[in-house]
Amino acid sequence: MAGIGRRTISLPRINHNIRLADRGHFVVYSADKKRFVVPLAYLRSKIFKELFRMSEEEFGIPRDGPLTLPCDAAFMEYVVSVVQKSISLELEKALLESLGSCQSLANSASVSEGLSYRHLIMESIV
């Protein structure tokens, strides 16, 4: 009888298979499911901000799963290396402009599924 009328608070279940990032880092996944552990300082990068915007537009905001960016692993490796090297503002601007053009190209029917964002960006920068 004492249990009747009581409300219980259930805590969310913890998935022990989820690997967390080290302190000062966050985890993102590429579209081909490769895991990247990236320093939190990269969140200030305009390139990562644009990738997050594109991710939200393409996949929506994840509620209970990982954050997936709309690019393949090769391009993510390229982006991480570019941001890590503290690129010039001109190169950053060119990369951001190419991201926008790549997104519109990738959304068009004329782009084959085999092309990665890195290939599209390299072609649009040249």
Side-chain angles (χ1 to χ4, degrees):
M1 285 293 241
I4 297 176
R6 286 188 187 173
R7 295 186 183 186
T8 60
I9 299 174
S10 60
L11 298 174
R13 295 179 189 257
I14 297 174
N15 185 347
H16 294 287
N17 294 328
I18 295 176
R19 297 180 295 166
L20 300 176
D22 293 334
R23 183 178 208 131
H25 293 75
F26 65 99
V27 175
V28 294
Y29 286 84
S30 61
D32 52 355
K33 306 297 183 212
K34 183 167 182 202
R35 183 177 189 262
F36 289 86
V37 179
V38 184
L40 286 173
Y42 289 11
L43 289 174
R44 290 187 221 112
S45 162
K46 290 179 183 177
I47 296 168
F48 269 94
K49 288 178 183 179
E50 180 63 16
L51 285 171
F52 289 141
R53 187 197 64 73
M54 291 169 62
S55 174
E56 180 181 1
E57 192 174 289
E58 187 167 332
F59 304 119
I61 298 172
R63 302 255 186 262
D64 57 354
L67 179 61
T68 303
L69 298 180
C71 53
D72 64 9
F75 181 71
M76 273 302 299
E77 290 169 3
Y78 175 72
V79 167
V80 168
S81 71
V82 165
V83 173
Q84 185 178 28
K85 293 177 184 175
S86 300
I87 61 170
S88 68
L89 292 176
E90 293 83 23
L91 183 57
E92 183 179 53
K93 183 178 178 184
L95 187 56
L96 285 168
E97 288 174 0
S98 64
L99 275 174
S101 64
C102 288
Q103 185 178 18
S104 61
L105 283 173
N107 289 336
S108 72
S110 63
V111 176
S112 70
E113 290 182 27
L115 288 178
S116 68
Y117 275 97
R118 183 177 185 193
H119 294 114
L120 293 170
I121 285 179
M122 296 320 259
E123 288 178 12
S124 63
I125 289 177
V126 176

